[in-house]
Amino acid sequence: MLTEAFPKLNSSRAVSFLRAFLRSPWFIALVVLLMACSEIFSLELYVIGAYITLGLLIVLVSEDTLPIVPMVTCGYMLISSENNIGFHPDSLLAQPYAQATILFAAVVIAVLLLGRLISKLMEKKKRGVPKLLTGFVLLGIAYLLGGLGTDGWDKESVLFGFVQIAALSGFYFYFYFTVDWEKVPEGYLATLFAIVGAGILAQIVGLYANPNAPGFDGEGNRGSLYTGWGVWNCVGCVMAMCMPAPVYFAVTKKHGWPFALLCCVYFLGVILTQSRGSIIFGAVVFAACIAYTIFRAEKWNKLWCGIVYAALLAGAAIAALVFRDKLEDLFRSLLDAGMNDSGRFNLYEQCWETLKELPVFGAGWYDAPGIQLGNGGMFPNGDPRLEGYFVPGFAHDTFFQLIGCGGALALVTYLVHRTQTVLLVFRDPTPVRVVAALCVASMLLTSFVDNHVFNMGPGLLYSVLLVFGEKDGAGRPALLPCGA
């Protein structure tokens, strides 16, 4: 915006340097490093201030909003376990001055984003119509109408439905219209998620510093593996979403085998979260990553990547045998959980009964069957002890959640949206689209036993993956290396 008001600044070396840096992997690494340090060392307020400063710099000198993408991706994962209000009610973020600071930051960021959106829309440039528009609009209508005709359809339910669809699609539309897609560096999406994966892996390692975390002595519990932005299941989902990113470089670079190795390391990170759903379905996506690498990589690179995968899988099997006792101690609480459904099947039955009773619109977000954590316990939706909680309980399965809160309308519109996303990939399966699809698949598959699709944080990553998948190569005359 500053350079638009003062065009002569476009020829400034300082501005040119800043623009190149903001679009480079180094800037992504800076944003991710701040995120990791914030979560590990409880530096939330400092890092939020740094993000505001960087956001202001982007709005003033950047040609588009591409540098905002890493901040949107990382922003919600800043909160440390020490300041998780659910586990530590008197922590820093429960204090009025900290909440006022965060509110101020949110307002400033919203103003900056809105200002940049307006300035980009004022440009006389043909942008077309987003391919996923119809599916998102229909799904949004279903979310807003969930529980229509029942006591569950009230302003709170409508508001939560709006927040849900905004989390899934808001930045999809925002970046669609504010990023100059013909100038996006080649491999930017894969670079972003590969670096974010390193930050999440660092957070996972940090979780084991918790005094009550699992250890090689057989003590501790995986319930202690939580951050300020999510418990072990949430962290496992995000780690699984980052896992396929290195595959892009494994199949596009002449010597891509180190990235095949990185993919394996990220899968190890998924295992360390001790999230059953993330491990099971992450293994499915990991197998797909191996298959795609072997299928898509060129000549000798195919062989070397295959050797890496085979060697690491064999090494993992040997380690599991040699260090069996130690590993059993480390994963003791996970093994004890076994295949216990933790009440999920009962929730699924309740959702099915809700569909039969309210087949069209369901029961609404707050009256649909679901379990929420609050006040030191687990309570069903509708329990008066949960009054004041904005986030309702969830059924821990995408299908049953949809039919419970939104009936057949929500399910059908979701399937329309899902069909559009699948067609987006299969009509032109470029490496970027395939990797984006694998990242999304990690979220969708783990949501068979959890509620990640309905958590606002993963929704931000989802929206970023979709818009980059759709706009891959759009109008780009010649691909630029990331950071060019």
Side-chain angles (χ1 to χ4, degrees), residues 178-196:
T178 60
V179 171
D180 294 331
W181 291 102
E182 66 277 5
K183 298 180 181 179
V184 173
E186 181 183 8
Y188 187 89
L189 179 70
T191 301
L192 169 63
F193 274 78
I195 297 176
V196 170

Side-chain angles (χ1 to χ4, degrees), residues 79-94 99 223 226-231 372-377 389:
I79 311 301
S80 66
S81 57
E82 181 179 322
N83 291 319
N84 185 317
I85 296 179
F87 289 91
H88 308 286
D90 297 324
S91 62
L92 172 66
L93 299 187
Q99 295 175 349
Y226 63 86
T227 64
W229 53 270
V231 297
Q372 172 66 294
L373 293 175
N375 299 330
Y389 277 71

Side-chain angles (χ1 to χ4, degrees), residues 252-427:
T252 58
K253 288 188 173 293
K254 183 177 181 180
H255 303 289
W257 65 266
F259 296 98
L261 174 62
L262 184 59
C263 180
C264 297
V265 172
Y266 284 179
F267 181 55
L268 174 61
V270 174
I271 295 173
L272 287 175
T273 65
Q274 303 204 28
S275 167
R276 291 177 296 174
S278 299
I279 294 172
I280 293 171
F281 294 109
V284 174
V285 176
F286 181 58
C289 289
I290 295 175
Y292 181 67
T293 304
I294 302 302
F295 170 77
R296 185 66 170 73
E298 298 292 336
K299 298 179 180 178
W300 288 105
N301 187 35
K302 187 193 301 285
L303 174 63
W304 284 112
C305 287
I307 291 174
V308 167
Y309 286 128
L312 288 177
L313 289 173
I318 294 172
L321 292 175
V322 174
F323 302 105
R324 178 178 176 179
D325 292 339
K326 290 294 184 181
L327 292 175
E328 285 182 352
D329 287 341
L330 181 64
F331 294 98
R332 174 60 55 197
S333 59
L334 174 64
L335 296 173
D336 290 342
M339 298 303 293
N340 181 6
D341 71 299
S342 300
R344 285 174 172 82
F345 291 160
N346 180 260
L347 286 175
Y348 302 163
E349 291 177 5
Q350 293 181 49
C351 288
W352 185 253
E353 293 301 319
T354 300
L355 177 66
K356 292 193 290 185
E357 182 180 350
L358 302 167
V360 180
F361 298 107
W365 289 100
Y366 292 92
D367 282 2
I371 293 295
Q372 172 66 294
L373 293 175
N375 299 330
M378 297 177 60
F379 306 112
N381 273 350
D383 192 302
R385 287 168 292 186
L386 283 181
E387 289 183 3
Y389 277 71
F390 178 68
V391 179
F394 293 117
H396 291 74
D397 176 272
T398 303
F399 170 81
F400 288 107
Q401 181 67 47
L402 288 169
I403 63 174
C405 71
L409 179 64
L411 179 61
V412 170
T413 54
Y414 176 81
L415 292 176
V416 171
H417 167 65
R418 184 57 53 232
T419 300
Q420 288 187 327
T421 60
V422 170
L423 291 176
L424 190 68
V425 178
F426 282 97
R427 283 172 176 166

Side-chain angles (χ1 to χ4, degrees), residues 33-44 47 77-83 199-200 202-204 206-207 226-230:
L33 178 63
L34 288 171
M35 172 200 74
C37 290
S38 176
E39 195 285 323
I40 295 172
F41 302 110
S42 304
L43 301 174
E44 292 91 338
V47 172
M77 296 183 288
L78 296 172
I79 311 301
S80 66
S81 57
E82 181 179 322
N83 291 319
I200 300 301
Q203 291 189 13
I204 292 170
L207 295 181
Y226 63 86
T227 64
W229 53 270

Side-chain angles (χ1 to χ4, degrees), residues 220-244:
N221 191 289
R222 66 186 180 126
S224 298
L225 300 177
Y226 63 86
T227 64
W229 53 270
V231 297
W232 62 97
N233 286 332
C234 301
V235 181
C237 172
V238 175
M239 189 73 255
M241 292 180 72
C242 295
M243 180 182 63

